Each structure stands twice: as C-alpha cells, then as structure tokens.
C-alpha cells in the first residue's frame, strides 16, 4: 500500500518519532521508513526527530521548500564519476552509447553514476504540438523504458555505487503535468522521484567544491566555455546534446566546461521535430576522474559511425 505524506507524518508522530514503531504502524519495512523520511527531507518536508516534551499535540513543522533538493554536496577523493545525460529513453533496443555506458561502468567501477537530466522524454505531455499523425509512446511506455534502462545501469554498477539523477527540463514535464491537471491529488499520485527509488533526484551536485554538475545553464555554441568562466568551477552540463570538453585557466587554476552529449541516437524518433536538420549533436557520455581530491582532465566516450570509443579504443 502506498501511504500519502499526511499518513506517514501522522504515523511518525503517533509512534513518537520512532522508525521501528512507524514501520509497525504502517506495516512496512523499517528501511522503507528511513528512505521515505529522507525523500521527504530532500523535498523540504521537515519531520521532528524526537517526541514533544510538553503536553498536547506536537507543533507541526511540515513545510514545503524546493520540489527537489537544490544541491547535493559530496566529496570524492579518488575514483571515477560516470555522467550521462539526455537519454530520452523510448521503448526499443539500447543505443550504442547506452551499451558502452554499461560496459564502462562495469570496467571502471565508478563511485557514482550521474544521470544528468532529460532521462524521461515526455513526448505525450510536451507543450509542443504533435507531428502529424505519428503516435509517440504513452507516458507509461516511456516510464517502463526508463525503469528498465536505469535498472540495468544500477545492476552494472558495483555494490555501494551512488546513483544520482539531476532533473532536466524534459524530466520536469512529468510532475508539471500532474501539478497542472490534477493538483487535488497532491500527495496521492506518485511523483517522478517516487517511481525510481534506486536513484537520488536533485537539481544539481557540487563535488569537492570545485565541480558543479547540473543539467543546463548557458546556451549556444560557447555554452561549455561560458559555464566554467562564469560559474567559477569546472561545470558539467547536458541539455545541448553536444559532446565536448572546453578548458579554461585563470588565477584560480585550470578547470573545464564539459558537455555530456546525448545517450540517445541523435537520429532517433524522439527528434522528428528537427525535420532532419543538421545538428552538432553527438552520442556519448563523460567520465570524471579524481586523484587526491583533484579533478583530472575529463574524458569522453564518443560514438563514431556506430562504434563507441574511449581512450582511443572501441568499447
């Protein structure tokens, strides 16, 4: 049974803020209580961590802030972070870049895998008009494809690897459609985050206070350069479907602007709206390597003529 936020809060307070007692009240596993409470905290819903010491009902601290955590702050001393974006998963076979992603995750054994936005496409809930009589997949079909592909990635990652998802503008289509068309079901219908419990959703991620990872910032052909120049950090973004690393250096040292390309096929049916126009879109993803807390030059896995290459070798 799926419990609403209000039901969970009531059970938490009736159980005097005890996870074990809350689990018994709701007839769920205690680990599910911890996960649910953390997701609520991430969404800005603050719960008491100890029972009230005065008589009467507890004072409510049920507050709503950001829809998703504004920023996750992490520390990586040594290891890899594999970052892909703009998968726009539709039903069907995996793309070449997707196959290479699974292979390199198994090979590199990263400490984190980051889905950097636009994993869900949302063709049926787009603000754009349909293209003729074409029939894009339903929201359910898209969600099923996302669940399958993201679970494959989770299985490829070694035990203990953190799975992060930075929200993209296409991902927002899911919650936005619910908020606009069914606001009275807030807390009843599942949000996008609820459907992917293996993944931690947020707007951005700051690594070692020297790297910012988020779906989008600047636009245009010089976006990667402008991101790192104006952001003051190495910046890793998606959104533009270009695959590029642009270096920059100043009195603060060397840093990079990284565009993570697209995990999808740039000629896929998701992009019929381009009318077969030429684009600089490139299929692939990025790998960040940290040594003693320092970011080394970012690397790309790029698909050329149907073959994925990484460090000069076919994957």
């Amino acid at each position: 049974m799926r419990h609403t936020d209000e039901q969970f809060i009531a059970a938490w307070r009736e159980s005097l803020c005890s996870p074990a007692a809350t689990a018994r009240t709701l007839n769920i596993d205690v680990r599910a209580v911890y996960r649910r409470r953390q997701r609520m905290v991430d969404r800005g819903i603050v719960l008491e961590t100890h029972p009230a010491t005065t008589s009467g009902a507890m004072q409510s601290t049920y507050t709503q802030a950001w829809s998703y955590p504004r920023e996750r702050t992490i520390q990586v001393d040594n290891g890899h972070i594999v970052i892909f974006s703009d998968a726009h998963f539709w039903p069907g076979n995996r793309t070449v870049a997707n196959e290479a992603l699974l292979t390199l995750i198994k090979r590199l054994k990263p400490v984190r895998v980051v889905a950097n936005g636009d994993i869900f496409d949302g063709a049926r809930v787009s603000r754009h008009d349909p293209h003729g009589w074409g029939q894009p997949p339903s929201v359910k079909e898209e969600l099923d494809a996302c669940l399958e592909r993201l679970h494959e990635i989770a299985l490829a990652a070694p035990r203990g690897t953190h799975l992060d998802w930075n929200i993209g503008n296409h991902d927002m289509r899911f919650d936005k459609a619910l908020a606009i068309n069914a606001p009275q079901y807030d807390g009843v219908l599942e949000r996008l985050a609820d459907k992917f419990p293996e993944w931690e959703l947020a707007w951005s991620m700051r690594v070692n206070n020297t790297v910012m990872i988020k779906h989008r910032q600047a636009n245009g052909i010089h976006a990667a350069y402008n991101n790192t120049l104006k952001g003051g950090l190495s910046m890793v973004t998606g959104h533009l479907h270009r695959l590029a690393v642009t270096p920059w250096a100043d009195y603060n040292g060397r840093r990079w602007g990284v565009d993570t390309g697209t995990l999808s096929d740039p000629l896929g049916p998701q992009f019929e709206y381009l009318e077969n126009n030429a684009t600089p879109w490139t299929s692939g993803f990025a790998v960040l390597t940290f040594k003693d807390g320092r970011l080394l030059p970012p690397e790309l896995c790029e698909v050329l003529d149907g073959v994925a290459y990484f460090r000069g070798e076919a994957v």
Side-chain angles (χ1 to χ4, degrees):
M1 175 182 177
R2 174 69 183 177
H3 301 94
T4 66
D5 287 344
E6 289 75 13
Q7 290 172 327
F8 185 87
I9 292 168
W12 179 262
R13 291 174 178 165
E14 290 171 5
S15 303
L16 300 180
C17 309
S18 166
T22 302
R24 289 193 295 271
T25 299
L26 298 177
N27 194 29
I28 59 177
D29 187 85
V30 68
R31 290 173 296 181
V33 173
Y34 283 108
R35 289 195 298 267
R36 177 67 177 272
R37 181 172 175 273
Q38 184 58 52
R39 288 200 298 270
M40 293 175 71
V41 170
D42 289 343
R43 289 161 49 202
I45 301 174
V46 182
L47 292 176
E48 302 88 347
T49 57
H50 55 81
T53 56
T54 58
S55 59
M58 292 183 182
Q59 294 296 314
S60 174
T61 55
Y62 183 20
T63 59
Q64 182 67 40
W66 290 63
S67 298
Y68 291 97
R70 181 180 64 85
E71 177 180 295
R72 293 195 186 281
T73 303
I74 67 168
Q75 180 71 30
V76 177
D77 294 324
N78 294 286
H80 302 290
I81 299 180
V82 174
I83 307 171
F84 69 95
S85 70
D86 299 273
H88 297 276
F89 286 129
W90 274 29
N93 297 328
R94 303 189 200 99
T95 63
V96 173
N98 195 165
E99 294 281 6
L101 177 72
L102 297 175
T103 298
L104 285 183
I105 287 175
K106 294 175 183 177
R107 181 185 304 174
L108 297 175
K109 297 179 172 53
V111 295
R112 302 189 90 98
V113 175
V114 180
N116 203 24
D118 285 2
I119 309 308
F120 172 81
D121 185 80
R124 290 288 185 98
V125 289
S126 169
R127 63 184 175 83
H128 301 292
D129 294 331
H131 304 286
W133 298 102
Q135 292 296 317
S138 66
V139 170
K140 183 181 185 306
E141 289 171 331
E142 277 197 44
L143 280 177
D144 288 344
C146 289
L147 284 165
E148 181 178 1
R149 296 289 171 254
L150 290 179
H151 187 59
E152 290 172 345
I153 293 169
L155 291 177
R159 184 181 298 274
T161 298
H162 292 271
L163 305 174
D164 302 285
W165 181 343
N166 291 333
I167 297 295
N169 53 297
H170 278 253
D171 302 323
M172 286 190 288
R173 290 176 175 178
F174 185 90
D175 288 353
K176 185 176 181 181
L178 293 179
I180 291 174
N181 297 302
Q184 64 273 29
Y185 285 92
D186 182 27
V188 178
L189 296 176
E190 287 189 320
R191 301 162 73 245
L192 187 67
D194 296 325
K195 295 185 176 295
F196 299 90
E198 294 178 302
W199 295 76
E200 298 277 354
L201 276 70
W203 288 110
S204 64
M205 174 183 291
R206 185 189 294 255
V207 187
N208 300 355
N209 206 34
T210 59
V211 181
M212 175 61 73
I213 307 172
K214 63 196 303 289
H215 179 64
R216 59 177 177 171
Q217 184 156 302
N219 285 312
I221 191 171
H222 300 298
Y225 161 77
N226 284 324
N227 284 341
T228 190
L229 176 67
K230 298 177 181 180
L233 305 171
S234 288
M235 291 279 294
V236 184
T237 56
H239 186 59
L240 300 180
H241 298 197
R242 298 174 62 239
L243 189 67
V245 176
T246 303
W248 179 249
D250 54 24
Y251 289 122
N252 293 317
R254 179 92 161 164
R255 60 184 186 268
W256 296 269
V258 181
D259 188 320
T260 52
T262 173
L263 200 69
S264 63
D265 179 354
L267 300 180
Q270 303 96 313
F271 311 120
E272 184 178 2
Y273 62 86
L274 290 174
E275 302 173 17
N276 198 33
N277 289 337
T279 73
W281 293 6
T282 304
S283 192
F285 53 92
V287 176
L288 303 187
T289 302
F290 292 85
K291 178 68 173 177
D292 297 327
R294 182 178 183 178
L295 175 64
L296 301 183
E299 300 173 283
L300 301 177
C301 178
E302 180 169 343
V303 177
L304 296 170
D305 298 325
V307 179
Y309 291 93
F310 182 68
R311 296 177 179 172
E313 297 182 356
V315 178

